[in-house]
């Protein structure tokens, strides 16, 4: 029976490989020339009785809170209260990984939302050199025990996760790698360590699982009391998890709380960008292929629509967002407001040519519009002239490569350059 299952699994995977391989080549390639689309509304212009924003103070005190409230009430919902986590355990589980260049620290946190508590594990891979080290916090879509290539990681009981996380099946692992790139599950840890960066892996699905059924059930169990910006939703709660891990990092001796960089791909690109936008303690964000409800504009009508995303992933959003299905033009904001809330802190938006679904051109136009806020706050305006114009020195950087949705060496090369310029020790 087991053998039959194995053979069937293998055959399914082979067919999937063939289909994805063929369809990948057939995916449309986005135009890489300049885009003239202008994001609306202008983030600093007179709006709803407010005057033109001309000073950083005015942005910080009036307009930024206005956009923040708008995004939360219309897209992401209320963010749970910032209750500091309890550190249940914090121990080095291996002093000597990656050929002695790093150690592995396992931290178990207890997070609180209202009457409820949740276990959240984080595994930090930390260089065996003197710190404190800048730290990249990466949100994963599978539990750490199933993806990190190290022994001794405790698997939390009762955590739900997608079927494809079972890397016990080598075959499924190769399928994921083939389809979504070499670094879809784990980044190039050796390269990060050698540049002095620590990496913290966390699976926010430990708090709100990423599935309609279990995610909705978890959300409805915590949706109680007054929720200022509407019902909690998964993306906002995952962002809140990153904030609670930030609380932990502030207590750590070996991690540098002034150099916390969030990293997320796709759905985690959305939650990482939101987490950075909402919390100034986050020094930088790499938000890769974040698309709809991430960095990409909605009003340009390209890529995944609000109607599609709210049907496929209703648990990601507060219910108001679905009201804009088929009427994105009625949004009183667009996603450049989210990008601008990162200003003037470094932000890298990653994209690729055959990923129309996440709308690289919409992210580019979004960054360009947010650039005026970066400039107002003393950062650089967005200077890229076309999608290929990557500048590792830019505060607001746009990175682009050939290929499809996923994480490849062609992504990590520019990520690494940008990280080194903005957060490296050398
Ligand atoms: C897709 C979804 C996107 C993106 C992606 C991912 O199915 O439509 O918004 O988040 O999943 O996370 O890989």
């Amino acid at each position: 029976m087991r053998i039959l299952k194995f053979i069937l699994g293998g055959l399914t995977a082979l067919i999937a490989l063939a289909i994805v391989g063929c369809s990948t080549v057939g995916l449309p390639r986005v135009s890489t020339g300049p885009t003239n689309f202008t994001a609306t509304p202008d983030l600093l212009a007179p709006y709803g009785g407010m005057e033109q924003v001309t000073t950083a103070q005015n942005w910080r005190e009036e307009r930024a809170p206005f956009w923040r409230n708008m995004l939360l009430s219309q897209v992401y919902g209320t963010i749970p209260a910032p209750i500091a986590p309890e550190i249940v355990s914090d121990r080095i589980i291996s002093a000597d990984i990656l050929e002695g260049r790093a150690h592995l620290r396992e931290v178990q946190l207890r997070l609180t939302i209202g009457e409820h508590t949740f276990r959240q594990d984080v595994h930090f891979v930390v260089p065996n050199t003197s710190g404190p080290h800048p730290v990249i916090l990466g949100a994963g879509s599978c539990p750490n025990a199933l993806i990190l290539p190290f022994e001794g990681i405790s698997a939390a009981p009762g955590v739900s996760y997608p079927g494809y996380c079972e890397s016990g099946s080598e075959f499924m692992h190769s399928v994921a790698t083939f389809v979504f790139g070499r670094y879809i599950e784990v980044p190039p840890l050796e390269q990060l360590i050698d540049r002095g960066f620590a990496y913290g892996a966390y699976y926010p699905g430990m708090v709100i699982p990423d599935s309609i059924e279990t995610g909705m059930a978890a959300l409805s169990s915590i949706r109680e009391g007054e929720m200022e910006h509407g019902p909690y939703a998964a993306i906002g709660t995952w962002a809140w998890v990153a904030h609670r891990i930030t609380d932990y990092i502030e207590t750590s001796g070996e991690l540098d709380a002034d150099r916390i960089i969030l990293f997320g791909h796709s759905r985690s690109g959305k939650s990482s960008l939101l987490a950075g936008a909402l919390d100034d303690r986050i020094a930088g964000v790499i938000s890769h292929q974040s698309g709809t409800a991430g960095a990409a504009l909605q009003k340009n009508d390209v890529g995944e629509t609000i109607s599609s995303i709210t049907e496929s992933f209703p648990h990601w959003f507060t219910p108001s967002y679905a009201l804009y299905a088929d009427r994105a033009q009625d949004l009183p904001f667009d996603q450049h407001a989210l990008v601008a809330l990162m200003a003037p802190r470094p932000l890298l938006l990653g994209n690729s040519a055959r990923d129309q679904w996440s709308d690289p051109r919409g992210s580019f136009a979004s960054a360009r519009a947010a650039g005026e806020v970066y400039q107002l706050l003393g950062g650089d305006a967005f200077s890229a002239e076309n999608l290929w114009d990557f500048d590792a020195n830019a505060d607001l950087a746009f990175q682009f490569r050939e290929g499809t949705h996923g994480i490849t060496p062609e992504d990590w090369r520019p990520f690494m350059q940008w990280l080194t310029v903005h957060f490296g020790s050398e």
Side-chain angles (χ1 to χ4, degrees):
M1 196 58 197
R2 259 213 170 143
I3 292 198
L4 195 64
K5 244 179 145 183
F6 182 78
I7 295 174
L8 275 177
L11 276 176
T12 318
L14 269 178
I15 293 168
L17 277 179
I19 294 173
V20 173
C22 298
S23 60
T24 295
V25 177
L27 283 175
R29 196 168 179 286
V30 303
S31 147
T32 59
T35 157
N36 296 325
F37 190 83
T38 302
T40 55
D42 181 320
L43 298 170
L44 304 177
Y47 197 57
M50 291 177 292
E51 287 173 8
Q52 174 79 33
V53 178
T54 53
T55 65
Q57 185 187 8
N58 192 208
W59 168 261
R60 290 205 169 96
E61 290 175 3
E62 183 182 71
R63 197 63 67 92
F66 175 80
W67 292 128
R68 192 177 307 126
N69 291 338
M70 182 77 90
L71 286 158
L72 294 181
S73 60
Q74 304 308 304
V75 186
Y76 306 106
T78 302
I79 306 297
I83 299 170
E86 183 188 329
I87 301 169
V88 176
S89 66
D90 182 350
R91 61 198 183 100
I92 291 175
I93 56 174
S94 175
D96 179 6
I97 54 171
L98 304 175
E99 293 157 350
R101 278 131 79 194
H103 57 275
L104 181 61
R105 178 180 288 281
E106 179 175 85
V107 177
Q108 196 192 121
L109 304 175
R110 185 176 292 127
L111 311 187
T112 301
I113 302 178
E115 303 294 305
H116 308 270
T117 58
F118 298 87
R119 170 170 166 177
Q120 180 65 58
D121 296 348
V122 195
H123 291 89
F124 291 99
V125 177
V126 187
N128 279 339
T129 51
S130 63
H133 302 281
V135 54
I136 296 157
L137 260 188
S141 46
C142 296
N144 288 349
L146 296 179
I147 56 157
L148 289 180
F150 306 117
E151 304 282 315
I153 295 182
S154 27
V159 171
S160 81
Y161 52 82
Y164 59 74
C165 294
E166 291 287 3
S167 58
S169 152
E170 270 304 311
F171 216 83
M172 286 321 286
H173 176 74
S174 342
V175 173
T177 309
F178 176 82
V179 177
F180 295 116
R182 187 179 337 153
Y183 297 123
I184 191 66
E185 285 162 354
V186 183
L189 293 173
E190 291 88 346
Q191 292 178 37
L192 286 170
I193 291 299
D194 289 348
R195 286 168 179 75
F197 288 89
Y199 184 80
Y202 69 105
Y203 171 55
M206 290 186 81
V207 177
I208 303 296
D210 188 11
S211 98
I212 300 184
E213 207 183 309
T214 51
M216 281 298 199
L219 286 164
S220 58
S221 75
I222 57 168
R223 282 174 175 168
E224 55 193 31
E226 202 172 308
M227 290 178 289
E228 194 189 354
H229 295 109
Y232 301 134
I235 291 179
T237 312
W238 297 335
W240 171 85
V241 170
H243 297 161
R244 302 294 62 85
I245 299 172
T246 299
D247 297 341
Y248 163 79
I249 294 173
E250 287 186 315
T251 70
S252 145
E254 62 178 6
L255 304 171
D256 185 350
D258 291 330
R259 288 184 292 168
I260 300 174
I261 304 104
L262 302 184
F263 171 70
H265 165 71
S266 207
R267 63 200 68 191
S268 304
K270 306 180 208 295
S271 63
S272 301
L273 178 55
L274 177 65
L278 297 177
D279 191 337
D280 281 345
R281 295 176 302 168
I282 307 299
V285 173
I286 296 178
S287 177
H288 189 237
Q289 298 177 329
S290 62
T292 297
L297 299 175
Q298 280 316 296
K299 295 189 190 181
N300 63 345
D301 237 350
V302 178
E304 186 173 21
T305 61
I306 296 177
S307 138
S308 165
I309 202 168
T310 53
E311 255 171 52
S312 308
F313 308 101
H315 56 299
W316 287 1
F317 306 105
T318 203
S320 317
Y321 195 41
L323 303 177
Y324 294 99
D326 304 319
R327 18 177 311 250
Q329 301 311 327
D330 293 344
L331 286 165
F333 61 95
D334 210 337
Q335 292 301 119
H336 57 316
L338 182 67
V339 174
L341 290 174
M342 269 300 295
R345 292 163 294 149
L347 170 64
L348 186 156
L349 301 175
N351 294 275
S352 74
R354 289 189 201 273
D355 188 18
Q356 176 99 326
W357 189 243
S358 80
D359 185 19
R361 289 166 70 75
S363 292
F364 186 89
S366 174
R368 189 175 48 209
E372 64 171 342
V373 180
Y374 269 76
Q375 210 171 12
L376 179 75
L377 300 185
D380 317 327
F382 184 62
S383 60
E385 284 174 8
N386 59 57
L387 280 72
W388 287 109
D389 194 3
F390 172 70
D391 176 4
N393 295 307
D395 295 329
L396 183 47
F398 189 89
Q399 171 259 347
F400 191 70
R401 64 159 163 80
E402 289 298 344
T404 56
H405 199 68
I407 315 179
T408 68
E410 289 70 41
D411 292 314
W412 270 101
R413 222 164 285 131
F415 293 174
M416 215 66 92
Q417 290 168 3
W418 181 85
L419 284 167
T420 308
V421 168
H422 294 279
F423 305 104
S425 307
E426 304 92 56

